[in-house]
Amino acid sequence: RFPRIAEPDAWVQEARDDLKHNDLVSAYNNSSILHKGTRFENYTFPEALYKFFLEHDINPIEHFAEGKEIPLKAFSGFNSKRKFTLPDSIEYVRRHAFSYCNLKIPKLPKNLKVIELDGFSSCKNLTITEWPSNLEEIGAGAFEEVHILNGNLPDKLHTIGRFAFNYCKDLTEIVIPASVTTIEAQILDCSPIEKITFLGTPAQIDPDALRLCIAKEIYVPWSENEVDIIFPDTAQVYYNS
């Protein structure tokens, strides 16, 4: 199912030998793990490879699925604090791709569509000031403990997964667009949220979606008792707004 997997240290030495001859293409092609256009669904990439790439200012993402996705657990637990800019060609961030990762990621890719389970969970050096306009799905736990400075979610978003924005210490206000049809449970636990605005009425919303958040003001376009949801005791709810 996968290409031949060699020991990381052996591959790194092989690549270093190629780089001595300034042959980056050969370095890539000789990799036993990276192969352009291949999607690796059940393999965790060894940190040694990424460290080697970053030290040589090579972007390994270009060799994953033609630069359109970050594979499963690709940078999970990666300890380097180097700046790492994701190319705008990325459309999918797979499960746990950057969970507990220390890389400094300045922004999300412009063409990003889907972030799967725990995609950026505990990626504490990711700061969001602007959302990709094409983002459609935020998976469960996708942005736990991330610095979110802009709570105006994009207009094409349709799904917000469980625990999506928990422990986001900079998130004080959030606007949920009318495009959102599904909201799972406990999306804002332990975040200092003060104001929540719904621009539409989601077709599917878990009753516990907001129950444990600490919002002071919640604005909804529906009438009281129209939607089965438990609001926090701390909140003043403004209906038909």
Side-chain angles (χ1 to χ4, degrees):
R1 183 174 180 176
F2 302 110
R4 178 178 58 86
I5 297 177
E7 290 296 322
D9 291 343
W11 183 88
V12 168
Q13 184 58 52
E14 186 178 65
R16 283 200 180 102
D17 292 340
D18 286 330
L19 285 170
K20 289 178 183 178
H21 299 90
N22 297 316
D23 189 355
L24 295 180
V25 175
S26 178
Y28 280 131
N29 290 340
N30 283 342
S31 166
S32 301
I33 297 175
L34 301 180
H35 180 66
K36 188 170 183 178
T38 299
R39 176 178 175 182
F40 303 93
E41 297 183 346
N42 297 299
Y43 186 75
T44 300
F45 294 88
E47 184 169 331
L49 288 177
Y50 289 104
K51 182 178 180 181
F52 170 75
F53 278 130
L54 294 175
E55 286 176 348
H56 289 84
D57 294 321
I58 302 170
N59 190 340
I61 300 304
E62 295 173 355
H63 268 239
F64 293 135
E66 298 180 343
K68 291 186 178 181
E69 70 172 59
I70 311 293
L72 169 75
K73 298 182 179 180
F75 290 89
S76 181
F78 194 77
N79 289 321
S80 172
K81 294 184 178 180
R82 291 174 62 99
K83 181 179 178 181
F84 190 67
T85 301
L86 299 177
D88 288 332
S89 61
I90 297 297
E91 296 179 3
Y92 303 94
V93 171
R94 301 300 179 187
R95 290 172 292 148
H96 303 280
F98 290 96
S99 60
Y100 297 94
C101 169
N102 287 321
L103 287 171
K104 295 179 180 179
I105 302 174
K107 65 182 182 65
L108 296 176
K110 289 183 178 179
N111 292 312
L112 187 59
K113 294 180 179 179
V114 174
I115 304 164
E116 294 183 353
L117 171 71
D118 289 336
F120 290 101
S121 179
S122 297
C123 187
K124 297 180 180 180
N125 287 323
L126 167 62
T127 299
I128 298 175
T129 58
E130 182 178 359
W131 291 96
S133 59
N134 292 321
L135 186 61
E136 299 173 358
E137 181 177 342
I138 296 175
F143 290 110
E144 283 190 309
E145 296 190 284
V146 168
H147 296 284
I148 299 178
L149 305 181
N150 179 357
N152 291 293
L153 302 180
D155 291 336
K156 292 184 180 179
L157 185 67
H158 59 70
T159 300
I160 301 175
R162 183 183 180 95
F163 308 142
F165 302 109
N166 288 3
Y167 298 95
C168 295
K169 65 180 182 180
D170 303 300
L171 184 59
T172 58
E173 182 175 343
I174 192 167
V175 178
I176 299 174
S179 58
V180 172
T181 58
T182 302
I183 300 179
E184 297 180 355
Q186 299 174 254
I187 63 169
L188 288 162
D189 289 8
C190 301
S191 291
I193 196 76
E194 296 181 2
K195 181 180 178 181
I196 302 171
T197 302
F198 285 83
L199 299 182
T201 304
Q204 299 179 40
I205 183 168
D206 191 289
D208 290 332
L210 303 177
R211 185 169 65 89
L212 296 179
C213 79
I214 58 172
K216 298 177 181 178
E217 300 177 4
I218 300 178
Y219 295 84
V220 299
W222 59 79
S223 302
E224 190 172 0
N225 300 321
E226 182 180 347
V227 174
D228 182 19
I229 182 173
I230 301 171
F231 291 115
D233 295 335
T234 58
Q236 174 67 50
V237 181
Y238 297 90
Y239 293 97
N240 299 310
S241 60

